[in-house]
């Protein structure tokens, strides 16, 4: 991508309406643009990051055997009346009437719709378990949308649903998602901890929120520091192995505000290990048995009887993650943002010092840019005539993790190269490509 041709509308200053770093940066670097309260357009830079996050989320869902579907954003109110949630959901639900005066709604979540899909086609217990997921826009008419895409009204969510024959099998499914979430967040270079949480309007009595620590988070958390050292890498997708993993985490006191109990916390966590802080909820999983299958009559035949399937649901805030990664990765002290390579809008920026009367640097930069592209490096070249230091500042702001500078000193094969936040090195182009490619693996 040539910077001069790109659509990256960078603002000169931080917008005053944005209170937290991620919101400021996303507006400042032209990742998003507000269209109305709590509703945003995603511009190329932001959209690219979100799509890369989505890809990782998808790969980790596929890896546990979940199958992708796509349900619509607009749903009929009938199924919500069947489950009994149409009234319960209250004002957060955006209700719409079509031209026949039928009551429709913009889906805030999909338990009803997926149950309806399941019950119309699955009749035998032999097809269980079924794990279905989709990645789709949701709408919740939040009372106070804030912090940009962190708490907005229209947002992009991965929601998965499991269908099983018994509680035991359903917990096996639950634990598969538990593991897949740990892996997903790790690939995004986030350290997300599972915490016992309230189930709110989704329901059920077992639930974990996945929280990343951040001062700007909206969830207050109480946890045992030792939970950060739990290892999950060796866990397999077998029932026992997954159960052990859950036990290893659940052994530690780790809850959000609404589950907090002072004496339990103090009795189970020694003073040195207590951590009371704030965090951002990036994922939330629920087990609710037959809460939806029973009223909606989603059953399978098992040993001559009809059994209501046991269900769980599993959400990841795909669009929220874009902001959450910024909150976690932005280094206040150096005013530097560095995207994890796995989701960065570009792997590397080629930044030539462009002189009106001499195009040597620009031509050299174009050659490097073309060569890197041919080696599958996602690269952007700044071919504008802006001065060198403001170009570098701009890429520090954009958070592109690697930069190549073609300036005065660039006479031979050794190229000035640096990782954001570190010092420059002088390396040959093939070495640079090797270094970035190895990091991408
Ligand atoms: N049906 C369940 C699981 S699929 C569900 O809807 N869970 S949820 O309400 O917890 O949402 C899942 C994830 O979506 C949350 O963990 C959060 O990361 C994200 N999310 C929820 N509300 C918003 C919002 N208003 N703005 C941005 N992201 C949100």
């Amino acid at each position: 991508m040539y910077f001069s041709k790109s659509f990256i509308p960078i603002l000169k200053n931080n917008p005053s309406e944005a209170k937290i770093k991620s919101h400021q940066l996303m507006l400042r670097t032209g990742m998003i643009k507000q269209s109305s309260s709590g509703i945003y357009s995603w511009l190329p830079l932001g959209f690219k990051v979100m799509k890369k996050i989505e890809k990782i989320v998808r790969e980790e869902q596929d890896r546990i055997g979940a199958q992708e579907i796509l349900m619509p954003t607009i749903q009929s109110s009938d199924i919500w009346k069947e489950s009994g949630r149409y009234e319960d959901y209250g004002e957060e639900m955006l209700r719409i009437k079509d031209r026949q005066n039928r009551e429709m709604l913009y889906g805030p979540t999909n338990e009803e719709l997926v149950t309806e899909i399941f019950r119309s086609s699955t009749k035998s217990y032999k097809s269980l378990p079924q794990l279905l997921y989709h990645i789709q826009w949701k709408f919740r008419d939040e009372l106070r949308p804030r912090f940009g895409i962190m708490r907005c009204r229209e947002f992009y969510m991965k929601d998965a649903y499991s269908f099983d024959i018994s509680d035991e099998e359903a917990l096996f499914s639950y634990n598969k998602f538990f593991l897949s979430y740990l892996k997903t967040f790790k690939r995004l270079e986030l350290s997300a901890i599972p915490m016992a949480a309230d189930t709110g309007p989704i329901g059920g009595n077992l639930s974990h929120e996945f929280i990343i620590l951040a001062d700007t988070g909206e969830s207050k958390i109480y946890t045992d520091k030792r939970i950060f050292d739990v290892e999950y890498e060796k866990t397999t997708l077998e029932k026992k192995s997954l159960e052990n993993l859950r036990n290893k985490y659940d052994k530690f006191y780790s809850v959000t505000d609404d589950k907090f109990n002072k004496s339990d916390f103090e009795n189970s966590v020694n003073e040195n290990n207590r951590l009371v802080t704030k965090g951002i909820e990036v994922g939330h999983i629920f087990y609710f048995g037959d809460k939806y299958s029973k009223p909606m009559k989603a059953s399978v035949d098992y040993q001559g009887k009809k059994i209501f399937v046991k269900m769980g649901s599993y959400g990841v805030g795909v669009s929220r993650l874009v902001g959450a990664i910024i909150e976690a990765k932005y280094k206040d002290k150096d005013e530097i943002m560095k995207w994890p390579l796995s989701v960065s809008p570009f792997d590397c920026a080629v930044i030539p010092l462009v002189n009106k009367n001499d195009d040597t640097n620009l031509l050299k930069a174009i050659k490097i840019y073309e060569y890197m592209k041919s080696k599958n490096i996602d690269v952007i070249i700044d071919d504008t005539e802006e001065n060198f230091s403001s170009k570098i500042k701009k890429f520090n702001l954009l958070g592109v993790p690697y930069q190549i500078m073609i300036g005065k000193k660039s006479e031979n094969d050794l190229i000035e190269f640096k990782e954001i936040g570190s010092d420059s090195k002088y390396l040959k182009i093939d070495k640079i490509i090797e270094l970035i490619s190895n990091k991408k693996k």
Side-chain angles (χ1 to χ4, degrees):
M1 170 65 61
Y2 278 69
F3 197 86
S4 64
K5 305 280 181 306
S6 69
F7 189 81
I8 306 178
I10 296 179
L11 307 176
K12 273 221 166 60
N13 297 305
N14 279 339
S16 57
E17 74 267 28
K19 300 281 173 281
I20 62 171
K21 205 72 233 175
S22 56
H23 190 196
Q24 287 168 4
L25 265 181
M26 289 184 77
L27 292 172
R28 173 106 188 257
T29 60
M31 294 177 76
I32 51 171
K33 182 173 182 318
Q34 183 169 340
S35 98
S36 55
S37 165
I39 302 182
Y40 290 84
S41 298
W42 289 76
L43 307 186
L45 202 70
F47 193 53
K48 213 168 159 193
V49 173
M50 186 163 75
K51 285 281 151 187
K52 287 192 176 180
I53 294 173
E54 178 185 354
K55 180 166 177 278
I56 290 176
V57 170
R58 173 177 288 118
E59 283 169 5
E60 293 301 327
Q61 294 295 287
D62 292 345
R63 207 178 281 207
I64 58 165
Q67 298 167 75
E68 187 167 9
I69 59 177
L70 183 59
M71 292 176 268
T73 52
I74 306 289
Q75 305 179 19
S76 157
S77 63
D78 295 348
I79 47 178
W80 286 73
K81 287 179 182 159
E82 271 188 63
S83 75
R85 271 209 297 186
Y86 192 57
E87 297 310 325
D88 291 355
Y89 218 94
E91 292 191 304
E92 254 189 35
M93 184 187 275
L94 180 65
R95 295 155 206 260
I96 312 163
K97 282 208 173 134
D98 71 7
R99 64 166 76 194
Q100 261 90 32
N101 220 22
R102 276 185 297 241
E103 290 173 317
M104 314 291 283
L105 57 101
Y106 193 123
T109 175
N110 282 55
E111 279 78 8
E112 284 78 359
L113 192 50
V114 79
T115 304
E116 203 277 318
I117 292 171
F118 175 89
R119 76 174 172 196
S120 64
S121 53
T122 309
K123 301 290 175 225
S124 163
Y125 77 95
K126 286 185 189 148
S127 348
L128 302 183
Q130 283 295 339
L131 313 180
L132 303 175
Y133 75 98
H134 80 156
I135 306 178
Q136 177 63 291
W137 293 94
K138 305 287 182 296
F139 194 95
R140 293 182 188 171
D141 202 352
E142 298 272 352
L143 186 60
R144 270 188 297 277
R146 68 197 131 157
F147 303 152
I149 48 80
M150 293 285 237
R151 178 162 300 280
C152 49
R153 299 200 296 165
E154 192 180 42
F155 59 98
Y156 202 44
M157 191 209 282
K158 184 285 297 179
D159 39 327
Y161 303 87
S162 62
F163 303 85
D164 280 281
I165 187 70
S166 62
D167 285 325
E168 186 191 332
E169 291 302 311
L171 288 180
F172 181 25
S173 293
Y174 185 92
N175 293 342
K176 287 181 195 166
F177 284 98
F178 191 94
L179 174 65
S180 91
Y181 277 29
L182 293 169
K183 291 188 170 173
T184 304
F185 298 128
K186 178 74 193 285
R187 285 181 67 187
L188 301 172
E189 293 184 21
L190 295 173
S191 159
I193 32 176
M195 309 215 154
D198 236 17
T199 54
I202 307 293
N205 48 24
L206 170 66
S207 156
H208 287 86
E209 280 184 14
F210 287 75
I211 303 263
I212 61 162
L213 303 188
D215 294 339
T216 47
E218 290 190 282
S219 314
K220 189 152 190 204
I221 55 173
Y222 302 82
T223 188
D224 186 324
K225 284 179 196 159
R226 290 172 299 172
I227 202 166
F228 288 97
D229 302 326
V230 176
E231 288 181 4
Y232 61 86
E233 286 78 3
K234 295 203 182 91
T235 311
T236 66
L237 283 175
E238 275 149 324
K239 209 182 251 178
K240 258 270 100 32
S241 179
L242 287 165
E243 250 172 54
N244 286 339
L245 175 73
R246 270 278 309 288
N247 291 337
K248 277 199 282 181
Y249 275 100
D250 287 346
K251 201 169 75 194
F252 294 112
Y253 190 93
S254 177
V255 301
T256 55
D257 222 358
D258 30 50
K259 285 257 172 186
F260 177 64
N261 177 300
K262 192 163 182 281
S263 60
D264 285 355
F265 184 47
E266 289 174 356
N267 291 336
S268 50
V269 190
N270 139 342
E271 207 170 333
N272 298 329
N273 289 326
R274 283 180 210 153
L275 178 67
V276 179
T277 183
K278 284 183 177 165
I280 301 168
E281 177 201 326
V282 286
H284 199 162
I285 61 178
F286 303 80
Y287 178 54
F288 40 72
D290 58 12
K291 177 177 173 193
Y292 300 90
S293 56
K294 204 169 174 182
M296 294 186 68
K297 301 191 180 56
S299 63
V300 289
D301 298 325
Y302 182 65
Q303 298 183 336
K305 279 194 291 191
K306 288 214 178 302
I307 308 274
F308 295 120
V309 284
K310 310 286 185 180
M311 293 174 57
S313 74
Y314 314 88
V316 170
V318 177
S319 50
R320 176 180 287 183
L321 271 166
V322 180
I325 292 173
I326 296 178
E327 292 296 328
K329 298 288 162 193
Y330 185 82
K331 300 272 169 291
D332 243 336
K333 144 169 108 36
D334 309 318
E335 295 211 331
I336 277 181
M337 167 61 200
K338 183 178 156 209
W339 287 107
L341 198 53
S342 57
V343 299
S344 176
F346 300 99
D347 301 332
C348 185
V350 177
I351 313 170
L353 164 67
V354 176
N355 189 326
K356 264 204 184 86
N357 310 315
D358 177 5
D359 57 6
T360 326
N361 284 342
L362 181 60
L363 292 177
K364 181 169 179 186
I366 291 174
K367 237 167 117 183
I368 290 172
Y369 162 79
E370 291 294 347
Y371 185 59
M372 290 180 91
K373 259 194 2 180
S374 76
K375 300 284 177 188
N376 286 325
I377 306 286
D378 191 352
V379 60
I380 180 162
I381 177 170
D382 193 344
D383 55 329
T384 65
E385 286 180 5
E386 229 178 297
N387 74 51
F388 205 35
S389 69
S390 61
K391 279 186 180 179
I392 291 177
K393 266 202 202 124
K394 182 171 70 189
F395 283 99
N396 283 344
L397 184 73
L398 293 180
V400 180
Y402 295 104
Q403 305 174 347
I404 284 177
M405 271 75 63
I406 313 284
K408 285 201 189 84
K409 287 187 222 139
S410 146
E411 281 122 29
N412 50 29
D413 300 357
L414 292 180
I415 297 168
E416 185 178 355
F417 170 74
K418 75 172 192 165
E419 183 168 354
I420 273 198
S422 316
D423 295 332
S424 289
K425 293 182 201 159
Y426 290 83
L427 299 173
K428 289 201 168 150
I429 185 63
D430 285 315
K431 190 81 208 153
I432 296 174
I433 291 172
E434 187 188 319
L435 196 147
I436 300 177
S437 306
N438 284 342
K439 283 269 169 108
K440 274 173 89 166
K441 274 182 197 151

